[in-house]
Amino acid sequence: MPRTARDVVFVDGVRTPFGKAGPKGLYAQTRADDMVVRAIRELLRRNPSLPPERVDEVAVAATTQTGDQGLTIGRSAAVLAGLPKSVPGYAIDRMCAGAMTAVTTTGAGIAFGSYDVVIAGGVEHMGRHPMGEGVDPNPRFLAERLVDPSALVMGSTAENLHDRFPGITKERADAYAVRSQRKVAAAYAAGKIQPDLVPTAIRSAEKGWGLATDDEPPRPGTTLEDLAALKTPFRVHGNVTAGNAAGLNDGATACLLAAEDVAAELGLTPRMRLVDFAFAGVEPEVMGVGPVPATEKLLARNALTMDDIGLIEINEAFAVQVLAFLEHFKLADDDARVNPWGGAIALGHPLASSGVRLMNQLARLFGERPDVRFGLTTMCVGMGMGGTVLWENVNWEGSR
C-alpha cells in the first residue's frame, strides 16, 4: 500500500529538577525509574484529553542500563506509571544523545505511520551509576590504535578540543560559563525554567521525605575570578575545570509526540514541528566537535543556512565544545540566539536525559518568539558523535 509521511509535532515536555550526583545530592536515595515515572505521569496529567491507551510506544534512554536503570526501562516505566499493559516500551542508548535519539526514532515511526502518539525521554542517576560503570572496552580499541586512549575520558576529549582550537582559551571558556550561570539565574528570576519542572518526591534516611522543586546545580553568583582559581583535573595546567563544564547529575525527562492530525483529533496543542534530524561521527578523541558535521548535514539537506536559524539550544557538556561549534559557524561567543536561558554548565547534564531538556526550552522559547521559524537542538555524544534536530515553530507569524 502507498504510504505518505505525516507531520510530527512536539506536544509537551517535562523534567524533574536536576540534582547533583553523589551522597549529598537531591536524589541520592531516589530510584532512577521513579524519576522517569514521575515525568511520564506529569505528561499525562497535563494532557487530560489524551486517552492513555492511545499511547503507542514509550522509549526511555539511559546511558548506564543496569540496576534501577535496567529492565528495559521504557517498558518498566510505562507499567509503573500506570499506562495500560497494552502500551509497549523499550530502552535506548546513544550516551548523551539518548533522549534525543528516543525522540528521533519514535518521531520517525510516527512519520512512517507506525505510531500515532508516543512518549520519549531519558533518565540518568549518575550518583548510583557513574558513566562507564560495568563497561569492559574491547582491548582492540587501544591495541590496534582504533581510538586515542583519551577518547574514553570525556574531560580529556575537551582538553583535546582546546588543542585543536588554540584560539579557544581557558579565559574564553570561563567567560562562556559565567554567562551560562547568569542566564539561568535571570531565567529563574523571570519564571522561565519552572514551568517545565515536575515537583518530585525525594527521601533521605536522616531527613525523611521532601520535595525537589528547583534545579540543584546552578551557582548564580559565579565570577571569572572564581573559575580562574579552579583546578584542571584532566591535564596539568590545562583548560577544563568543574566550572566550565557540566557537572555529574541526576534527573529525568519525558515528552509527548504525535502525528499532527492525531493531535488535532485528540485536542492536543502542538508547540513545535519536527522537520528533520541528523547524526554524524567524528574522531572519538574530539567528540565535542560532533555537532558541527551533524548540523552541516542537516542544514544542507534542508537547503538552509545558519542565518535561517532563529534559536539554538546546544548542550553545554563543556564550554570549549560550544565555542568550537560557534566558531565553525562564525557566530559570536555571546550570540543571542544560543541558549537564551542558559544551559547545562549551570543546569546540569544527566547524560541520556538532556536531549529532551533542550527541546523543552526551545518549545518554550518558540512560544514567546513568533518571529522565529526554525530552531535547532544539538549536542555532542561520547565515542565521537553529534546529533542535531531541526524544529519549526507552529506559532511562526509567517504562516498566518
Side-chain angles (χ1 to χ4, degrees), residues 130 133 191 245 256:
E133 179 191 30
L256 186 63

Side-chain angles (χ1 to χ4, degrees), residues 361-385:
Q361 291 197 192
L362 180 62
R364 293 275 175 202
L365 285 159
F366 271 162
E368 296 187 1
R369 296 287 305 277
D371 59 307
V372 171
R373 182 178 184 183
F374 294 118
L376 298 177
T377 56
T378 186
M379 61 200 314
C380 60
V381 190
M383 283 300 291
M385 293 179 284

